[in-house]
Amino acid sequence: MRRRATITAVLLLALLGCDPHTTKQAAPTPTGNLCERVRPTLPGNWTTEDGEPGVAAPLSDVCTLVDRDQAAHRIRVLLSILPVTDTQAAKLRKDDEASAAAGNYAAKVSDGGLGNGSWALDPAAAAPWVVFRTGGRQVRLSVANAGAGTMDELRSIARSIMALAGGLPAAPAMITRPECAGGTAAAERILGTKSVLRRDALVDKHLSCRWASAMRSVATYAGGDSRIDFGYIKDGATGGQPWAHRVTVGVEGWQQDDGFLIFRSRTDQYVTVVSLPYQEMRPVPIVMLARAIAPAYS
């Protein structure tokens, strides 16, 4: 199977992140840490972890609820930075349906059972996830890494989030690092507008850059998964597959025909360059962004 379906599935699951760090009575944290806020209301023995901002639109802050008694029991939480309208939610659902179909899931996206604008996917052989809105913002919950957890549990956590006293934590629109500035113009050409949201960070000493409009996002990031995907795409291209080709970026770069690109930098980092929804990604603008951001990884 070509890599696109695998990457689509990974990106689809990546839509599901969050972070727990407050009590029911605590004031909102600047970074929008929803996991800490909801944790005291949940049955069981939970702790929380911060997470890298999600890749997918709407751009979201991410955290994870971690069961202290069962290491494989982890629930990722994503909270959109901006409110999501009915029209936007309808489009986001269609994007998820297309991603699920491209990922060859046997299950189909269905009603989430959490009110207007909710939907879910509950595959038999993969991690379930659910999307809903509360306080005008979108929340995604998923079982992380296909570990322990059920759709019923996700819906129960969702109801606890919807019932939180004081509402959702606030989040700043812009968190930036100067290293990402070189990619901004190219990223905004992909978005088709000025970025209204930014999430830049160092994750395990690797630079991560995020630009977004209300409905689209662009990301560059490095890490172990990027190295694995680089090898897969390169093997496909050098093996004569028509869906991948070499591009002139960094020391060595390879790209799928849908635009998904990974390059190796001079400091031996493997850097992913992607935009979502993936259906709207185009190869040439992604190459231009990769070339613009490459110096930040060298």
Side-chain angles (χ1 to χ4, degrees):
M1 180 185 296
R2 63 186 294 177
R3 187 63 170 172
R4 175 185 294 172
T6 302
I7 292 171
T8 298
V10 170
L11 292 176
L12 196 59
L13 293 175
L15 304 176
L16 315 162
C18 172
D19 200 332
H21 282 71
T22 62
T23 66
K24 229 175 165 183
Q25 292 77 28
T29 62
T31 54
N33 190 332
L34 179 54
C35 294
E36 283 290 351
R37 179 164 293 194
V38 73
R39 179 182 57 80
T41 72
L42 303 177
N45 186 18
W46 297 91
T47 185
T48 64
E49 291 179 0
D50 292 333
E52 185 177 2
V55 176
L59 195 65
S60 300
D61 287 318
V62 179
C63 62
T64 303
L65 291 162
V66 182
D67 188 341
R68 293 180 186 271
D69 301 322
Q70 188 178 0
H73 189 195
R74 302 168 62 90
I75 306 299
R76 298 186 65 232
V77 184
L78 282 76
L79 173 62
S80 70
I81 300 167
L82 294 179
V84 172
T85 67
D86 288 347
T87 300
Q88 290 169 335
K91 182 182 185 301
L92 291 166
R93 175 169 177 162
K94 287 183 178 179
D95 292 339
D96 277 1
E97 289 170 345
S99 295
N104 296 320
Y105 284 104
K108 292 185 178 181
V109 172
S110 60
D111 179 73
L114 295 165
N116 182 41
S118 73
W119 62 94
L121 185 72
D122 193 4
W129 52 260
V130 64
V131 179
F132 63 98
R133 283 184 294 162
T134 182
R137 292 158 73 186
Q138 179 173 285
V139 181
R140 289 179 175 267
L141 304 178
S142 67
V143 173
N145 303 324
T150 65
M151 179 60 72
D152 286 343
E153 178 184 44
L154 295 183
R155 290 194 176 106
S156 177
I157 294 172
R159 294 185 183 100
S160 294
I161 291 172
M162 297 168 79
L164 282 174
L168 299 171
M174 298 286 180
I175 299 176
T176 63
R177 295 186 63 89
E179 304 98 307
C180 297
T184 297
E188 291 180 341
R189 282 193 287 272
I190 294 172
L191 294 175
T193 184
K194 290 288 185 181
S195 54
V196 296
L197 301 171
R198 291 285 303 278
R199 283 294 185 269
D200 303 338
L202 282 179
V203 180
D204 296 329
K205 299 183 179 180
H206 293 300
L207 180 66
S208 170
C209 306
R210 302 282 193 277
W211 301 263
S213 63
M215 292 295 289
R216 299 188 68 182
S217 65
V218 181
T220 70
Y221 54 91
D225 288 345
S226 296
R227 179 189 290 266
I228 294 169
D229 289 340
F230 177 93
Y232 197 103
I233 298 172
K234 178 178 179 177
D235 288 348
T238 55
Q241 297 298 321
W243 49 265
H245 57 276
R246 186 161 187 169
V247 290
T248 306
V249 180
V251 174
E252 182 181 1
W254 297 90
Q255 186 178 41
Q256 295 185 163
D257 60 3
D258 61 3
F260 187 91
L261 184 153
I262 303 176
F263 70 90
R264 180 166 62 88
S265 75
R266 291 174 182 168
T267 55
D268 205 34
Q269 296 182 79
Y270 290 80
V271 184
T272 296
V273 184
V274 63
S275 69
L276 290 178
Y278 84 92
Q279 299 95 329
E280 299 175 20
M281 184 162 51
R282 299 293 179 268
V284 172
I286 291 291
V287 172
M288 296 299 101
L289 172 56
R291 291 173 179 168
I293 202 65
Y297 291 93
S298 296

